[in-house]
């Protein structure tokens, strides 16, 4: 079953990626889409007309049965998560997302779901391989021996393996993508859960609006990362879902930058230069991380390609528009 007559449910649809994914699927002609999130609908980052919106706590087993009733495909993006500031300080909350993943997989088995997509993370990778800012990009096999990000990463790695065993033992087709830093408009940019690209845009805009030309950067600024624009993420999710890729696969950009370079780009968009202050006590995550895209290129003849300077401009402009509304 691959056509647009499939019935789809997006879990975590009130969130950043889930909201964009629902819109992407609707634009691609899927008629029957159910969107589920724990937040009241008015708090979702976006809603798409013609979609059934349900407010459910998917950590509850019964709610998972309700969410998956009559569905062919599940996109599982619901998780209690945020940027480094959140995941380093809320390890137990992050691990509790295991309830959502467990109950959804059990409900998927019992409801006869055909395909199950799981949003994993680059945080599953062994920390020992991410100590040097001059990173060797992470290959899928670098997740083992396991030494993932404490809390959040362990939960993701465990849930990845549940997907694998539900496929082996119960015959549900599961597909797992390891997202590397996704960014774009219509997501969190303040409040403590925001990730680096949105946080940096916000700080640059605040500096511009206040005239106080300073910025605080977490860590030394020499940490390296890659950032994937949301439009590459939604395309990648659907391609992986429809593929025969049976192993967890990287879904990320391989355009590596330092956090200082990320700030350079945001400053250029804003047309200002800021005095940088480095907060070495702030959560900063691993020293270096990039996505090795050899496998996704082999499987799909595709990889994320939207340039950071282009995606960051769109993100910056959206965050600025929101901040000017306040
Ligand atoms: P997000 O926080 O914007 O969205 C997650 C959504 O899940 C939220 O709207 C939240 O309300 C919902 N949720 C949490 N608990 C729930 C529950 N019990 N029942 C129903 N809904 C619940 O995050 P996002 O950036 O859109 O991330 C989506 C997925 O991608 C997550 O699984 C995340 O771990 C994964 N991921 C994201 C990134 C990234 O850079 N954004 C990177 C790696 C992995």
């Amino acid at each position: 079953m691959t056509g647009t007559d499939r019935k789809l449910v997006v879990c975590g649809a009130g969130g950043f990626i889930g909201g964009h994914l629902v819109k992407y699927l609707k634009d691609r002609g899927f008629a029957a889409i159910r969107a589920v999130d724990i937040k009241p609908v008015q708090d979702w980052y976006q809603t798409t007309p013609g979609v059934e919106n349900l407010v459910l706590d998917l950590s509850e087993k019964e709610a998972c049965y309700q969410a998956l009733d009559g569905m062919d495909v599940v996109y599982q993006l619901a998780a209690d998560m945020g940027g480094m500031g959140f995941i380093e300080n809320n390890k137990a909350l992050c691990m509790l997302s295991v309830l959502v993943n467990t109950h959804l997989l059990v409900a998927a088995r019992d409801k006869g779901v055909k395909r199950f997509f799981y949003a994993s993370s680059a945080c599953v990778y062994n920390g020992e391989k991410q100590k040097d800012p001059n990173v060797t990009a992470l290959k899928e096999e670098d997740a083992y021996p396991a030494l993932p990000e404490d809390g959040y990463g362990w939960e993701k790695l465990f849930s990845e393996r549940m997907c694998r065993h539900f496929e082996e033992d119960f015959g549900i087709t599961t597909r797992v993508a390891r997202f590397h830093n996704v960014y774009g408009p219509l997501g969190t940019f303040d409040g403590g859960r925001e990730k680096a690209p949105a946080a940096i845009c916000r700080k640059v805009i605040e500096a511009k609006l206040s005239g106080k030309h300073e910025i605080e950067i977490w860590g030394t600024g020499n940490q390296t990362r890659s950032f994937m624009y949301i439009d590459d993420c939604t395309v990648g999710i659907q391609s992986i879902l429809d593929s025969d890729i049976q192993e967890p696969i990287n879904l990320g950009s391989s355009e590596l930058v330092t956090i200082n370079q990320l700030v350079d780009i945001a400053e250029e968009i804003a047309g200002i230069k800021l005095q940088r202050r480095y907060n070495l006590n702030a959560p900063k995550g691993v020293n270096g991380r990039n996505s090795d895209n050899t496998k996704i290129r082999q499987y799909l003849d595709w990889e994320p390609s939207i340039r950071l300077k282009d995606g960051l401009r769109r993100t910056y402009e959206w965050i600025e528009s929101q901040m000017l509304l306040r």
Side-chain angles (χ1 to χ4, degrees):
M1 196 180 211
T2 55
T4 49
D5 55 338
R6 287 180 289 180
K7 295 191 173 65
L8 317 178
V9 55
V10 177
C11 303
F16 163 53
I17 302 173
H20 283 279
L21 180 64
V22 168
K23 174 158 192 318
Y24 170 80
L25 294 167
K26 191 74 188 164
D27 290 348
R28 286 193 30 141
F30 289 96
I33 304 175
R34 180 178 291 162
V36 184
D37 203 284
I38 192 171
K39 295 186 293 202
V41 176
Q42 67 267 23
D43 293 343
W44 295 17
Y45 292 119
Q46 59 181 311
T47 51
T48 301
V51 168
E52 178 192 8
N53 296 326
L54 288 183
V55 175
L56 291 170
D57 178 355
L58 295 169
S59 66
E60 308 274 348
K61 193 171 168 191
E62 283 314 313
C64 293
Y65 280 86
Q66 193 183 332
L68 271 49
D69 192 38
M71 295 289 119
D72 301 307
V73 177
V74 177
Y75 300 84
Q76 173 19 19
L77 296 108
D80 211 348
M81 64 89 66
M84 283 323 297
F86 180 78
I87 65 178
E88 284 198 3
N89 294 308
N90 296 278
K91 299 190 178 82
L93 276 186
C94 290
M95 294 202 85
L96 279 173
S97 295
V98 79
L99 293 173
V100 179
N101 291 315
T102 307
H103 288 143
L104 277 175
L105 276 166
V106 169
R109 177 196 64 189
D110 295 350
K111 291 278 181 185
V113 160
K114 312 277 183 315
R115 271 181 190 248
F116 189 102
F117 174 89
Y118 176 56
S120 184
S121 163
C123 288
V124 300
Y125 283 114
N126 189 315
E128 291 293 321
K129 308 226 170 192
Q130 303 173 73
K131 288 196 157 157
D132 186 353
N134 300 314
V135 279
T136 307
L138 292 160
K139 290 189 172 55
E140 284 74 0
E141 52 268 33
D142 291 332
Y144 295 97
L147 189 59
E149 174 78 37
D150 201 3
Y152 177 73
W154 275 108
E155 192 284 322
K156 288 286 184 196
L157 196 62
F158 175 85
S159 294
E160 279 190 0
R161 281 194 93 86
M162 265 202 303
C163 287
R164 168 174 163 176
H165 296 305
F166 268 66
E167 171 147 345
E168 287 169 1
D169 296 358
F170 302 130
I172 307 172
T173 300
T174 59
R175 295 289 175 259
V176 176
R178 292 179 181 153
F179 298 168
H180 291 243
N181 291 311
V182 191
Y183 72 99
L186 294 152
T188 312
F189 60 89
D190 61 6
R193 287 181 184 247
E194 64 278 17
K195 299 185 149 219
I200 301 267
C201 286
R202 187 202 71 230
K203 289 179 187 182
V204 170
I205 296 163
E206 277 167 356
K208 192 176 175 184
L209 294 178
S210 69
K212 202 169 161 225
H213 285 186
E214 283 181 8
I215 186 165
E216 183 191 82
I217 296 171
W218 286 7
T220 61
N222 296 322
Q223 320 84 290
T224 49
R225 292 288 184 282
S226 70
F227 299 99
M228 169 171 57
Y229 190 62
I230 183 66
D231 291 359
D232 274 333
C233 182
T234 49
V235 168
I237 290 172
Q238 190 58 19
S239 306
I240 291 167
L241 176 92
D242 282 333
S243 75
D244 55 7
I245 307 171
Q246 283 179 305
E247 57 192 318
I249 187 149
N250 282 333
L251 180 55
S253 163
S254 57
E255 182 188 350
L256 190 71
V257 290
T258 64
I259 296 299
N260 276 325
Q261 287 169 329
L262 181 65
V263 178
D264 292 343
I265 299 173
E267 284 179 340
E268 202 177 308
I269 296 167
I272 52 173
K273 273 280 171 206
L274 304 175
Q275 183 70 37
R276 299 180 187 189
R277 277 186 293 109
Y278 295 95
N279 180 352
L280 303 182
N281 298 318
K284 64 174 179 55
V286 294
N287 288 333
R289 175 181 288 162
N290 196 8
S291 177
D292 185 310
N293 287 346
T294 311
K295 264 204 178 130
I296 196 162
R297 277 197 306 270
Q298 275 167 0
Y299 278 115
L300 300 178
D301 197 20
W302 174 89
E303 68 181 304
S305 63
I306 298 171
R307 305 288 300 172
L308 181 57
K309 66 176 176 47
D310 298 328
L312 203 68
R313 179 174 292 279
R314 288 176 234 169
T315 310
Y316 179 99
E317 286 169 356
W318 178 79
I319 294 175
E320 189 176 44
S321 72
Q322 298 305 298
M323 288 173 67
L324 288 173
L325 284 178
R326 290 174 173 180

